[in-house]
Every structure is written in structure tokens, then in C-alpha cells.
Amino acid sequence: MNLYGQTLENLEKYFESIGEKKFKATQVFEWIYQKREEKIENFSNIKKEIRTQLEQDFKMDIPKIIKREIDIDVEKFLFNLSDDEKIETVLMRHNYGLSVCVSSQVGCNMGCKFCESGRLKKVRNLETYEMVGQILAIEKEIKERISSVVIMGIGEPLDNYENVIDFIKIINHPKGIAIGSRHITLSTCGIIPKIKLLSEFPLQINLAISLHAPNDELRSKIMPINKAYPLKEVIEAVKEYIKKTNRRVTIEYILLKNVNDSIAHAHELATLLRGMNVYVNLIPYNETNHIEFKKSEKKSIDAFYQTLQKEKINVTVRREFGSKISAACGQLRSKEV
Ligand code: SAH
């Protein structure tokens, strides 16, 4: 087991199982997340025998940064995992603080046609500690604290549900990395059963849905997952999620030139979302070397945006980061494998 993969509740259970008081779990959390102590032997308020036991039961290694690319407001980190697989994490500097975009899997099986990560199939899920480790390693490297986390890197987080949920619990916990739930966003291509499960999850995180098309025919062409979980059913699941959680959901929509970016598409999207507590985040496409899709022209982006506004749909255009340093979702890793 890895210590960074344990939620506080798991650690409490662990201590009870070895006949110890469960408050020791809080002490361990304080050592590893507040004091950032990296060696069990230095947990000085914990008895020597227990430290020895902990050392037998837990590792504390995390993914290693093997490459760092720096641009003005964005940096990319390539990580090497213990089995030599590679993942990447993006750090963005906003005026409100630092956010990171973490990966949840090595590769991805969703196969979205425009996406670099999907070109390389899923190798495996990330373990919880490998997600927590992305944050710890970056904070250590830059000597600054991260204030928000988006689970929008490589992988489909709802295809690695349990590990992602534990990750969220650990980074959110006040004795853990203490990132507020409203500063945590999970993005999914729409795995309906898991959206239902997530609506029962007590933490008030943000949910973002990668919609990218306003009808089934087009969505199935660019996102094969739509054949398993069609658009209308995704929308129904989102409506239920909103009803249950009372939270506004983000609809992500990449604008792909001459594919999904016409004014007619904007009207169709508005009709689909009418009356829902959502906001649309229009994403200028990050072009990649391998894929034929092109970014929409500025005038199409503007027209799409204005059409949604006229239709009284809440809409923003995502700020573009780091196209210079291959920040397009999976490109740093794909150069290495
Ligand atoms: N699998 C999850 C999360 C990872 S992808 C999901 O589908 O939401 C995060 C977001 O980046 C998704 O909206 C995805 O469609 C988008 N994306 C993928 N490749 C992109 C690219 N080249 N340019 C812009 N956005 C991209």
C-alpha cells in the first residue's frame, strides 16, 4: 500500500485493525500533508514500534517529474510512474490562483476522434497515490500551493471511479491538501451510471460534461462513447444530477472547424439545454500534429458565443493556455511513447 493513497477513514480503519487509536490517522495526515514529511521514521509523535509497522505496511514514493516545460502562464510536467509508464499534468496560473489539470489514467479508452490521449489506448488506471502525487510533486517543485484542481488530464475519471473518489476525498480533507470542494472539477465524456453514483457523493464538487455536439448523429461520429451513452440519456442524467445536488453543471463544447461550429449547431445546442441549470464553456480546439481536426476561426467562435447568448444560455469561452508547449491534452506524453 502507499500512504498517499489512503483516505483518512481508511487510515483510521488501519490503525484500529492494528489495535491502535484512530486519531493516529490524523497525526499521519498532518505529517504528510501539512508538514510534508516524506519519511515515516520522522513522524516523531508516533511511537517507534508503530512507525516500524507503518514502514512495513506502506510505501511513500510518488511519481517523478522527468520533464518540465514552461510558458508564460502555463507549465507542463511529464511524470514517470513506478512501472515506467508516463503521464502528464498541466499547471495554469490564473489571477485567482494556481490550478492543475490532473490525469486519471495512463491513456484512455473513450476514443474521442479529436483527442490525443484517446489515440493511445488505456494501459491502466492510475492509483489514488499517483493522482495525489501529481499535486504533491508539483507543489514541491514550484514551492507554491495549488488552489484548484480539474480532473481533465489524460483518462476518463469515471472509468476509474473508486480511485478518483478517494483522490478527491484526500485533496479536499482539511487535514489533507485542503482544496475546497468548489475548487475541484471532474470532467467526463458522460458515463451515465457513474454520473448517477456521483450524484450521491456528499462533496460539492463541480461536474463538467464533455458534450461537444448537439445531436446524436454528430456526437457519435466524434465521440464513440455516444453509442453506449447517447446524448438524450446523458442530458437526462445531468438533469437528475442537478435536481439531486442542486448544483450548476458545466457543459464543455470544443469548437471544431466546419464540424460542430455553425450557427445552426448553436441553436440546436440552446434548444437541448433550455431551462437547465448549466453553463456552456466553449473550448477553442488545441490542434495536434496527428489529428486532422482544425480549430474554429475566431469569427465562428464569436458567432457561436453570441448565438448562445441571444438564446439566453450562460456561456463563456475558455481562455487558451500553452498551445506553444504542446499543452493540448496528452501531447507531451504522446511525444514520449
Ligand atoms: N475524459 C474526460 C476528461 C479528460 S478530457 C472528458 O472527456 O471530459 C478533458 C477535456 O478536454 C474534454 O472536454 C475533452 O473533450 C477535451 N479535449 C480533448 N482533446 C482536446 C483538444 N485537442 N483541444 C481541446 N480540448 C480537448
Short mmCIF file of all heavy atoms in Angstrom, two decimals, residues 220-251:
data_model
loop_
_atom_site.label_atom_id
_atom_site.label_comp_id
_atom_site.label_asym_id
_atom_site.label_seq_id
_atom_site.Cartn_x
_atom_site.Cartn_y
_atom_site.Cartn_z
N SER A 220 -21.96 10.87 -32.15
CA SER A 220 -21.44 9.51 -32.35
C SER A 220 -20.24 9.50 -33.29
O SER A 220 -19.34 8.67 -33.15
CB SER A 220 -22.51 8.58 -32.91
OG SER A 220 -23.52 8.39 -31.95
N LYS A 221 -20.24 10.43 -34.25
CA LYS A 221 -19.11 10.47 -35.19
C LYS A 221 -17.82 10.88 -34.49
O LYS A 221 -16.76 10.35 -34.79
CB LYS A 221 -19.38 11.50 -36.30
CG LYS A 221 -20.11 10.91 -37.47
CD LYS A 221 -20.06 11.86 -38.66
CE LYS A 221 -21.20 11.55 -39.61
NZ LYS A 221 -21.79 12.74 -40.20
N ILE A 222 -17.91 11.84 -33.56
CA ILE A 222 -16.66 12.32 -32.95
C ILE A 222 -16.39 11.70 -31.58
O ILE A 222 -15.27 11.71 -31.11
CB ILE A 222 -16.60 13.87 -32.88
CG1 ILE A 222 -17.78 14.46 -32.12
CG2 ILE A 222 -16.51 14.47 -34.28
CD1 ILE A 222 -17.72 15.98 -31.96
N MET A 223 -17.44 11.15 -30.96
CA MET A 223 -17.26 10.53 -29.63
C MET A 223 -17.95 9.16 -29.62
O MET A 223 -19.15 9.06 -29.35
CB MET A 223 -17.87 11.42 -28.54
CG MET A 223 -17.20 12.79 -28.43
SD MET A 223 -17.98 13.84 -27.17
CE MET A 223 -17.54 13.01 -25.66
N PRO A 224 -17.19 8.10 -29.87
CA PRO A 224 -17.77 6.76 -29.94
C PRO A 224 -18.58 6.36 -28.70
O PRO A 224 -19.52 5.57 -28.80
CB PRO A 224 -16.56 5.84 -30.10
CG PRO A 224 -15.45 6.72 -30.57
CD PRO A 224 -15.75 8.11 -30.13
N ILE A 225 -18.24 6.92 -27.55
CA ILE A 225 -18.95 6.60 -26.31
C ILE A 225 -20.43 6.95 -26.42
O ILE A 225 -21.28 6.39 -25.72
CB ILE A 225 -18.31 7.35 -25.11
CG1 ILE A 225 -18.83 6.88 -23.75
CG2 ILE A 225 -18.49 8.85 -25.20
CD1 ILE A 225 -18.44 5.49 -23.39
N ASN A 226 -20.77 7.83 -27.37
CA ASN A 226 -22.16 8.22 -27.54
C ASN A 226 -23.05 7.06 -27.99
O ASN A 226 -24.25 7.07 -27.79
CB ASN A 226 -22.27 9.37 -28.55
CG ASN A 226 -23.63 10.03 -28.53
OD1 ASN A 226 -24.02 10.61 -27.52
ND2 ASN A 226 -24.39 9.90 -29.61
N LYS A 227 -22.42 6.02 -28.56
CA LYS A 227 -23.22 4.85 -28.96
C LYS A 227 -23.68 4.09 -27.72
O LYS A 227 -24.77 3.54 -27.69
CB LYS A 227 -22.43 3.96 -29.91
CG LYS A 227 -22.18 4.69 -31.22
CD LYS A 227 -21.34 3.88 -32.20
CE LYS A 227 -20.90 4.78 -33.33
NZ LYS A 227 -19.48 4.65 -33.65
N ALA A 228 -22.83 4.07 -26.70
CA ALA A 228 -23.22 3.40 -25.45
C ALA A 228 -24.10 4.31 -24.59
O ALA A 228 -25.07 3.86 -23.99
CB ALA A 228 -21.97 3.00 -24.67
N TYR A 229 -23.75 5.58 -24.53
CA TYR A 229 -24.49 6.53 -23.70
C TYR A 229 -24.92 7.72 -24.54
O TYR A 229 -24.23 8.75 -24.59
CB TYR A 229 -23.63 6.99 -22.52
CG TYR A 229 -23.17 5.86 -21.64
CD1 TYR A 229 -21.83 5.56 -21.48
CD2 TYR A 229 -24.11 5.06 -20.98
CE1 TYR A 229 -21.41 4.50 -20.68
CE2 TYR A 229 -23.71 4.00 -20.18
CZ TYR A 229 -22.36 3.73 -20.03
OH TYR A 229 -21.96 2.68 -19.25
N PRO A 230 -26.08 7.58 -25.22
CA PRO A 230 -26.49 8.63 -26.17
C PRO A 230 -26.82 9.96 -25.50
O PRO A 230 -27.17 10.02 -24.31
CB PRO A 230 -27.74 8.04 -26.83
CG PRO A 230 -27.90 6.66 -26.33
CD PRO A 230 -27.01 6.47 -25.16
N LEU A 231 -26.71 10.97 -26.32
CA LEU A 231 -26.88 12.36 -25.88
C LEU A 231 -28.12 12.60 -25.01
O LEU A 231 -28.02 13.17 -23.93
CB LEU A 231 -26.94 13.23 -27.15
CG LEU A 231 -26.97 14.73 -26.98
CD1 LEU A 231 -25.66 15.21 -26.37
CD2 LEU A 231 -27.16 15.39 -28.34
N LYS A 232 -29.27 12.16 -25.50
CA LYS A 232 -30.52 12.43 -24.76
C LYS A 232 -30.46 11.84 -23.36
O LYS A 232 -30.94 12.44 -22.40
CB LYS A 232 -31.74 11.82 -25.49
CG LYS A 232 -32.08 12.50 -26.79
CD LYS A 232 -33.13 13.60 -26.61
CE LYS A 232 -33.04 14.70 -27.64
NZ LYS A 232 -32.75 14.30 -29.02
N GLU A 233 -29.86 10.63 -23.26
CA GLU A 233 -29.78 9.99 -21.94
C GLU A 233 -28.75 10.69 -21.05
O GLU A 233 -28.94 10.76 -19.84
CB GLU A 233 -29.43 8.50 -22.10
CG GLU A 233 -30.59 7.74 -22.75
CD GLU A 233 -30.25 6.29 -23.11
OE1 GLU A 233 -29.40 5.69 -22.42
OE2 GLU A 233 -30.83 5.78 -24.08
N VAL A 234 -27.70 11.20 -21.67
CA VAL A 234 -26.72 11.96 -20.90
C VAL A 234 -27.41 13.21 -20.33
O VAL A 234 -27.28 13.53 -19.14
CB VAL A 234 -25.49 12.37 -21.76
CG1 VAL A 234 -24.56 13.31 -21.00
CG2 VAL A 234 -24.72 11.12 -22.21
N ILE A 235 -28.18 13.88 -21.19
CA ILE A 235 -28.89 15.09 -20.75
C ILE A 235 -29.86 14.76 -19.61
O ILE A 235 -29.93 15.48 -18.60
CB ILE A 235 -29.62 15.77 -21.94
CG1 ILE A 235 -28.59 16.30 -22.96
CG2 ILE A 235 -30.58 16.86 -21.49
CD1 ILE A 235 -27.75 17.48 -22.47
N GLU A 236 -30.57 13.64 -19.74
CA GLU A 236 -31.49 13.23 -18.66
C GLU A 236 -30.72 13.00 -17.37
O GLU A 236 -31.15 13.41 -16.28
CB GLU A 236 -32.23 11.93 -19.04
CG GLU A 236 -33.47 12.15 -19.91
CD GLU A 236 -34.37 13.29 -19.42
OE1 GLU A 236 -34.74 13.26 -18.21
OE2 GLU A 236 -34.64 14.22 -20.20
N ALA A 237 -29.57 12.33 -17.48
CA ALA A 237 -28.75 12.04 -16.29
C ALA A 237 -28.27 13.35 -15.65
O ALA A 237 -28.22 13.48 -14.42
CB ALA A 237 -27.57 11.16 -16.65
N VAL A 238 -27.93 14.32 -16.49
CA VAL A 238 -27.47 15.60 -15.96
C VAL A 238 -28.63 16.32 -15.26
O VAL A 238 -28.46 16.90 -14.19
CB VAL A 238 -26.85 16.48 -17.08
CG1 VAL A 238 -26.56 17.89 -16.59
CG2 VAL A 238 -25.58 15.83 -17.62
N LYS A 239 -29.82 16.24 -15.87
CA LYS A 239 -30.98 16.87 -15.22
C LYS A 239 -31.23 16.28 -13.84
O LYS A 239 -31.49 17.00 -12.87
CB LYS A 239 -32.24 16.70 -16.08
CG LYS A 239 -32.26 17.65 -17.28
CD LYS A 239 -33.55 17.49 -18.07
CE LYS A 239 -33.52 18.47 -19.25
NZ LYS A 239 -34.51 18.13 -20.29
N GLU A 240 -31.13 14.95 -13.75
CA GLU A 240 -31.32 14.29 -12.44
C GLU A 240 -30.23 14.71 -11.46
O GLU A 240 -30.51 14.93 -10.28
CB GLU A 240 -31.23 12.77 -12.60
CG GLU A 240 -32.53 12.11 -12.96
CD GLU A 240 -32.31 10.62 -13.20
OE1 GLU A 240 -31.62 9.97 -12.38
OE2 GLU A 240 -32.79 10.13 -14.24
N TYR A 241 -29.02 14.79 -11.98
CA TYR A 241 -27.87 15.19 -11.13
C TYR A 241 -28.12 16.58 -10.55
O TYR A 241 -27.91 16.82 -9.36
CB TYR A 241 -26.59 15.15 -11.97
CG TYR A 241 -25.35 15.56 -11.21
CD1 TYR A 241 -24.55 14.62 -10.56
CD2 TYR A 241 -24.99 16.92 -11.12
CE1 TYR A 241 -23.43 15.01 -9.85
CE2 TYR A 241 -23.86 17.31 -10.41
CZ TYR A 241 -23.08 16.35 -9.77
OH TYR A 241 -21.97 16.74 -9.07
N ILE A 242 -28.59 17.48 -11.41
CA ILE A 242 -28.83 18.86 -10.96
C ILE A 242 -29.95 18.89 -9.92
O ILE A 242 -29.85 19.57 -8.90
CB ILE A 242 -29.19 19.77 -12.16
CG1 ILE A 242 -27.99 19.88 -13.12
CG2 ILE A 242 -29.66 21.15 -11.69
CD1 ILE A 242 -28.29 20.55 -14.45
N LYS A 243 -31.00 18.08 -10.18
CA LYS A 243 -32.12 18.04 -9.25
C LYS A 243 -31.66 17.55 -7.87
O LYS A 243 -32.02 18.10 -6.84
CB LYS A 243 -33.17 17.08 -9.81
CG LYS A 243 -34.59 17.46 -9.45
CD LYS A 243 -35.55 16.71 -10.35
CE LYS A 243 -36.69 16.15 -9.54
NZ LYS A 243 -37.43 15.15 -10.33
N LYS A 244 -30.85 16.51 -7.89
CA LYS A 244 -30.40 15.91 -6.65
C LYS A 244 -29.40 16.77 -5.89
O LYS A 244 -29.42 16.87 -4.67
CB LYS A 244 -29.74 14.57 -6.95
CG LYS A 244 -30.17 13.52 -5.98
CD LYS A 244 -29.62 12.18 -6.34
CE LYS A 244 -30.61 11.11 -5.96
NZ LYS A 244 -30.42 9.90 -6.76
N THR A 245 -28.47 17.39 -6.63
CA THR A 245 -27.36 18.08 -5.95
C THR A 245 -27.59 19.59 -5.87
O THR A 245 -26.89 20.27 -5.14
CB THR A 245 -26.05 17.89 -6.73
OG1 THR A 245 -26.23 18.45 -8.04
CG2 THR A 245 -25.67 16.44 -6.83
N ASN A 246 -28.56 20.06 -6.68
CA ASN A 246 -28.82 21.49 -6.70
C ASN A 246 -27.59 22.31 -7.14
O ASN A 246 -27.40 23.44 -6.70
CB ASN A 246 -29.25 21.93 -5.29
CG ASN A 246 -30.30 23.00 -5.38
OD1 ASN A 246 -30.71 23.36 -6.49
ND2 ASN A 246 -30.72 23.52 -4.24
N ARG A 247 -26.78 21.69 -7.97
CA ARG A 247 -25.55 22.35 -8.41
C ARG A 247 -25.59 22.61 -9.90
O ARG A 247 -26.13 21.83 -10.67
CB ARG A 247 -24.33 21.45 -8.13
CG ARG A 247 -24.20 21.05 -6.70
CD ARG A 247 -22.83 21.33 -6.19
NE ARG A 247 -22.50 22.74 -6.27
CZ ARG A 247 -21.28 23.21 -6.39
NH1 ARG A 247 -20.27 22.40 -6.49
NH2 ARG A 247 -21.07 24.51 -6.44
N ARG A 248 -24.98 23.71 -10.30
CA ARG A 248 -24.90 24.03 -11.72
C ARG A 248 -23.83 23.16 -12.38
O ARG A 248 -22.75 22.97 -11.83
CB ARG A 248 -24.56 25.51 -11.91
CG ARG A 248 -24.55 25.91 -13.36
CD ARG A 248 -24.76 27.38 -13.51
NE ARG A 248 -23.51 28.08 -13.26
CZ ARG A 248 -23.27 29.32 -13.69
NH1 ARG A 248 -24.21 29.99 -14.35
NH2 ARG A 248 -22.13 29.89 -13.43
N VAL A 249 -24.15 22.64 -13.54
CA VAL A 249 -23.21 21.76 -14.25
C VAL A 249 -22.61 22.52 -15.43
O VAL A 249 -23.28 23.35 -16.05
CB VAL A 249 -23.96 20.48 -14.71
CG1 VAL A 249 -23.12 19.66 -15.70
CG2 VAL A 249 -24.33 19.61 -13.51
N THR A 250 -21.34 22.23 -15.71
CA THR A 250 -20.68 22.84 -16.87
C THR A 250 -20.83 21.93 -18.08
O THR A 250 -20.63 20.72 -17.98
CB THR A 250 -19.17 23.01 -16.57
OG1 THR A 250 -19.03 23.76 -15.37
CG2 THR A 250 -18.46 23.72 -17.71
N ILE A 251 -21.19 22.52 -19.20
CA ILE A 251 -21.23 21.77 -20.46
C ILE A 251 -20.03 22.22 -21.29
O ILE A 251 -19.92 23.40 -21.64
CB ILE A 251 -22.53 22.07 -21.24
CG1 ILE A 251 -23.77 21.69 -20.41
CG2 ILE A 251 -22.53 21.37 -22.61
CD1 ILE A 251 -23.95 20.21 -20.13
#
